[in-house]
């Protein structure tokens, strides 16, 4: 089943190929969902979390936890909403530092997977090339 979002942006920021089959890329994306890293920052601890949602019914996104296993319920193409959240933990409170939201479309092209990336808003400190680098590193 194709999982396409009907409001996927017409103007994309970047298109690239991953030298992996479609099902491998879907599995890689599913493994990234709801993961986080914590690092020491100047003012406290910084938590970076990744939330991934997949298109459902052409009009909405579902949390990946509601659609396991993803690779068995998706074919040909899939649209994702990838949300990178960064939070600063100080002794007094938690402060959201940045949120970068991307739309990602992956399309089955046989031995390779074609990817299209569009950023939801110009805010945040990441761009489409950062998402490309992140995906290539996570999937290879």
């Amino acid at each position: 089943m194709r999982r396409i979002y009907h409001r996927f942006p017409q103007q994309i920021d970047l298109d690239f190929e991953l030298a992996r089959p479609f099902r491998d890329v879907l599995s890689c994306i599913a493994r990234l969902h709801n993961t986080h890293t914590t690092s020491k920052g100047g003012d406290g601890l910084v938590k970076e979390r990744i939330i991934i949602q997949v298109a459902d019914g052409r009009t909405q996104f579902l949390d990946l936890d509601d659609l396991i296993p993803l690779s068995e319920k998706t074919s040909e193409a899939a649209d994702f909403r990838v949300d990178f959240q960064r939070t600063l933990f100080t002794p007094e409170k938690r402060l959201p530092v940045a949120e970068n939201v991307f739309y990602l479309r992956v399309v089955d092209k046989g031995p390779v997977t074609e990817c299209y990336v569009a950023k939801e808003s110009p805010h945040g400190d990441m761009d489409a090339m950062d998402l490309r680098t992140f995906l290539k590193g996570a999937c290879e």
Side-chain angles (χ1 to χ4, degrees), residues 104-116:
L104 170 66
R105 176 171 285 168
V106 293
V107 180
D108 188 359
K109 296 290 183 181
V112 298
T113 302
E114 194 162 357
C115 302
Y116 303 94

Side-chain angles (χ1 to χ4, degrees), residues 1 12 39 73:
M1 167 183 197
I12 59 167
S39 60
K73 298 183 179 184

Side-chain angles (χ1 to χ4, degrees), residues 3-132:
R3 296 195 164 276
I4 301 298
Y5 181 56
H6 81 286
R7 296 178 82 188
F8 193 88
Q10 296 295 316
Q11 183 175 350
I12 59 167
D13 297 328
L14 181 67
D15 65 332
F16 61 94
E17 290 181 346
L18 290 173
R20 310 282 298 182
F22 182 70
R23 296 219 182 270
D24 287 354
V25 173
L26 290 179
S27 296
C28 175
I29 290 171
R31 281 192 309 270
L32 292 172
H33 172 62
N34 210 10
T35 59
H36 72 275
T37 59
T38 305
S39 60
K40 185 93 167 138
D43 298 330
L45 290 175
V46 177
K47 177 181 177 182
E48 295 180 358
R49 183 175 178 206
I50 303 166
I51 304 295
I52 301 177
Q53 298 174 315
V54 64
D56 184 56
R58 298 182 55 89
T59 59
Q60 64 185 355
F61 286 95
L62 284 179
D63 197 282
L64 282 186
D65 293 334
D66 299 335
L67 194 68
I68 298 294
L70 177 64
S71 61
E72 292 178 12
K73 298 183 179 184
T74 307
S75 63
E76 297 178 41
D79 289 348
F80 296 94
R81 186 174 183 272
V82 183
D83 186 0
F84 290 91
Q85 301 171 347
R86 190 172 301 134
T87 306
L88 174 66
F89 294 111
T90 64
E92 298 83 34
K93 56 189 165 192
R94 297 176 180 180
L95 300 170
V97 176
E99 183 172 32
N100 295 282
V101 179
F102 296 92
Y103 291 107
L104 170 66
R105 176 171 285 168
V106 293
V107 180
D108 188 359
K109 296 290 183 181
V112 298
T113 302
E114 194 162 357
C115 302
Y116 303 94
V117 178
K119 189 164 183 185
E120 187 176 77
S121 78
H123 304 294
D125 57 349
M126 292 177 70
D127 62 10
M129 287 297 289
D130 294 323
L131 180 61
R132 174 185 175 261

